[in-house]
Structures are given as structure tokens and as C-alpha cells.
Amino acid sequence: MAASAHLLLLAKPSTPHLVPAFPRTGSNQHKNARFKCLASQSGFFTRLGRLIKEKAKSDVDKLFSGFSKTRDNLAVIDELLLYWNLSETDRVLDELEEILLVSDFGPRITIKIVESLREDILAGKLKSGSEIKDALKRSVLDLLTKKGNKTDLQLGFRKPAVVLIVGVNGGGKTTSLGKLAYRLKNDGAKILMAAGDTFRAAASDQLEIWAERTGCDIVVAKEEKAKASSVLSQAVKRGKEEGFDVVLCDTSGRLHTNYGLMEELIACKKAVGKVVPGAPNEILLVLDGNTGLNMLPQAREFNEVVGITGLILTKLDGSARGGCVVSVVDELGIPVKFVGVGEGVEDLQPFDAEAFVNAVFS
């Protein structure tokens, strides 16, 4: 396909030595054979989403290690409840409230959980420390599943599926996109990356590196300061013409208070929708877990402007603030799709609420 006057289409590297760091096992090859190039058949994206969700359960060890600091912070709960007795209910619950707040569960959620426990204790439903902890875990799991139960990717029924990645500067958008491409490609999907971050000089270079590492094709702007909407539009057109399963669209980082740049996201959303009706299928907001509850104002603004369908929480491996996961879901009712629990290419983990609760409260 010929390049346009404004865009450079980079084909995926043809030499196999460009991706030696990620060897595939025999079982992976079998899975790829099963899922490869089936997007035109009904149910491909449903099966792809199911496969990703199944892998979330098999990746519990990584999730477990990724939330180690949060778990260490909450481990005090075991000691607090070890010698619990009814006469010390108020003191114990006050300390439990403080522990949850330190872990960024948020005041509203914390009060809701603690008061529910208090009612059950006084009603005689909870009679031991272990029963209180089990009830605590159930409360957190209920909060996550009632408001954020659609944690699997919703890729629709038409190819290419289009995923738009948005967020503030430094949150980890480009890295998350690369890791998501790696996971989807290993599950048999044909991936095209779109370098829609046209403001940051090194952004396209960074995404091209990810394209080489994962063996994916990429569309980048040929000219500086090209319109992001134009780049994404051309990428989706190529994805449609050449039979790609998923087009992953990077965008420029922007402060949620910069309304001019926020308006540009609307143009990006409209541009891809003109090429593939109903696109983008997913608009994923990347949030830095280290910011804790400060991520909520960001999420509110992005959601108001473009309508966020899912969240990617990054850098949770370096923070004791895992409770922010619960706060975001409870506040916005938007499901967490993935969590970043490390620097490795496989450390963008599909979010599984039950696995998360077990990881932080074990």
C-alpha cells in the first residue's frame, strides 16, 4: 500500500531476530493456530476476550507479587483481629478504618465498609476475627463486582476493533499500549499500532520500538506536528483494508485541565468512527496508581469529555495504594480492565476482582 503525503506506514520487521526476547512455547503456538485471523468469523473477539480473562486467573502469582506493598500495609489487620473481642469493637474498628484510609480506599468506601461490619458485629452475625476479615473481603469484592463487572475487553463483532488509549503525561500510555499489543498478539490477533501522540518528539520512536519487540505493524506521522486525528484515521483505514483484527491507538498525554487538548480527543474519537462505524470499541484511560486518590479528578474529566469505557491502572508495584482500585470503581462505575504490576512485557495483567482481593488481603 502506498504511503500518503503525510503519513509513513512502517511494515512489521521481516527478520525474526528482532523479537528474540519473547520466545513462544509449543502451547502458545497451538493457541495462536486456534485464534489466528478468525476475526471475520462470528465470536472471534468474544473468544479472545474470554482467553484473556482466563489468563488473568493463571497470572495470580504476578498479581500477588505486584501488590506486595499494599498487602504488607494491610497485614496489620490480621494482628488487629487476632485477639478481637466484643468489648473492644469500637477501638478495633477505628484502627481498621485508619488502615483502610492509609491504603487509599477512600473515606466514603472506608466508612461504608466499617459501618457495615459494625452492624453485623452488634447483630451477632460476626463472632470472631476471622469472620470479620472474611466479611471485609466480601465487602470489597462486592464493591468491585457490582459497579465494575465488565472487566474483559469489549471488542465488538466487526474488524478491525479499535482501542483508544488516553491519559495524562507520564502515566504510562505508550508502554501500556505496547504490553497490550504483546498480550493480544500472543493470543492470536493481528495488531496494528497507531502513533497518535504527535506532540511528544520521542513518542513515535518509543512506539516503534514496541512494534519491533512485539512484531506488530505501525502507522506513524511523516511530518512533525501532524494532526493526531489524521494519523489515527489513516491507521484505521489501513487496518480495515489489510484485515487487521485490532488497531491500538496511542494519543498525546494531556492534563485534564487543558481543555484545548481535551477537545482534540473528541476529534480523534470522531475520526476513527467515520472509518469504522461504532469505533472506538474501547476508550481506555491510563492512570498512575502512585497518585492514589488524586487520580479521581483526572478520571472524571476524561470520562466527561470522551466517555471512558475502561481503566488501566499502572505502577501499582511501587505503591502501597492498591485501595485506589476500589475507590475508582466505586466513584465512577467504570471497570478496571488491566493493572500494571511491574516493568516486564507480561506485567500488564488483566484485572480479576477476586484475584485482586485475595492478593491484597491474603
Side-chain angles (χ1 to χ4, degrees):
M1 177 181 176
S4 73
H6 302 288
L7 296 165
L8 177 63
L9 307 184
L10 300 183
K12 96 180 155 183
S14 58
T15 51
H17 69 273
L18 289 174
V19 285
F22 312 114
R24 294 182 181 175
T25 64
S27 59
N28 279 341
Q29 289 172 343
H30 173 74
K31 287 173 182 174
N32 286 347
R34 179 183 172 190
F35 286 95
K36 188 175 182 180
C37 298
L38 297 177
S40 60
Q41 299 179 16
S42 176
F44 169 78
F45 288 134
T46 300
R47 292 195 297 274
L48 182 63
R50 188 182 302 124
L51 181 62
I52 292 173
K53 203 162 190 178
E54 287 172 359
K55 287 190 173 183
K57 296 183 181 298
S58 67
D59 288 337
V60 169
D61 289 343
K62 291 199 173 198
L63 186 69
F64 192 84
S65 62
F67 284 105
S68 59
K69 291 190 177 182
T70 302
R71 185 168 59 256
D72 290 345
N73 198 41
L74 294 173
V76 182
I77 294 175
D78 289 330
E79 183 179 346
L80 179 65
L81 297 176
L82 184 61
Y83 300 108
W84 175 86
N85 61 71
L86 187 61
S87 64
E88 295 187 335
T89 296
D90 289 338
R91 179 188 66 80
V92 169
L93 292 180
D94 285 345
E95 291 189 30
L96 177 60
E97 181 177 309
E98 183 177 344
I99 293 169
L100 294 176
L101 288 172
V102 168
S103 298
D104 268 359
F105 276 83
R108 185 173 66 177
I109 291 175
T110 298
I111 291 172
K112 184 188 301 185
I113 291 173
V114 170
E115 289 309 308
S116 176
L117 292 175
R118 189 189 307 275
E119 290 177 7
D120 287 346
I121 290 171
L122 296 180
K125 296 179 181 178
L126 304 176
K127 300 178 181 179
S128 68
S130 61
E131 289 182 355
I132 293 174
K133 184 176 179 180
D134 288 341
L136 170 62
K137 292 172 66 175
R138 283 196 303 273
S139 296
V140 174
L141 184 59
D142 286 346
L143 285 169
L144 289 171
T145 54
K146 286 180 180 177
K147 291 190 174 182
N149 60 333
K150 292 185 178 179
T151 57
D152 52 326
L153 285 175
Q154 306 293 311
L155 299 178
F157 304 97
R158 176 185 312 177
K159 77 172 185 177
V162 181
V163 178
L164 194 66
I165 308 291
V166 303
V168 302
N169 308 71
K173 294 186 308 305
T174 304
T175 299
S176 295
L177 187 152
K179 293 177 180 179
L180 181 56
Y182 172 79
R183 180 174 287 275
L184 290 171
K185 187 160 191 257
N186 274 7
D187 289 339
K190 184 180 179 182
I191 306 298
L192 177 64
M193 297 181 179
D197 185 348
T198 57
F199 283 94
R200 187 164 60 93
S204 293
D205 294 339
Q206 184 182 358
L207 198 62
E208 286 184 53
I209 291 172
W210 274 105
E212 290 184 359
R213 295 176 72 185
T214 57
C216 295
D217 286 17
I218 183 171
V219 174
V220 300
K222 185 176 180 180
E223 297 179 352
E224 292 185 5
K225 304 299 181 182
K227 287 187 177 180
S229 57
S230 176
V231 177
L232 300 187
S233 176
Q234 289 297 321
V236 176
K237 284 178 182 177
R238 182 185 172 192
K240 186 176 181 180
E241 292 168 358
E242 299 184 18
F244 284 88
D245 298 319
V246 184
V247 180
L248 298 178
C249 301
D250 197 13
T251 62
S252 302
R254 63 204 72 218
L255 292 175
H256 57 288
T257 53
N258 189 322
Y259 296 107
L261 288 178
M262 292 294 280
E263 287 292 320
E264 185 192 60
L265 283 181
I266 299 177
C268 291
K269 182 178 179 180
K270 289 180 178 178
V272 300
K274 288 179 180 178
V275 182
V276 176
N281 302 82
E282 290 272 15
I283 302 177
L284 302 181
L285 173 63
V286 177
L287 294 170
D288 184 343
N290 285 315
T291 62
L293 293 177
N294 290 326
M295 68 176 62
L296 286 173
Q298 299 174 24
R300 292 190 198 106
E301 292 294 333
F302 276 95
N303 188 45
E304 185 175 338
V305 172
V306 290
I308 302 302
T309 61
L311 304 169
I312 298 177
L313 300 187
T314 63
K315 306 179 185 178
L316 291 174
D317 55 318
S319 171
R321 299 181 169 191
C324 64
V325 175
V326 189
S327 297
V328 171
V329 173
D330 181 71
E331 171 88 11
L332 301 174
I334 299 172
V336 178
K337 305 277 183 172
F338 295 91
V339 290
V341 294
E343 297 298 324
V345 70
E346 296 181 346
D347 290 336
L348 184 70
Q349 298 297 310
F351 182 71
D352 180 89
E354 186 175 357
F356 166 77
V357 171
N358 289 332
V360 299
F361 285 107
S362 63

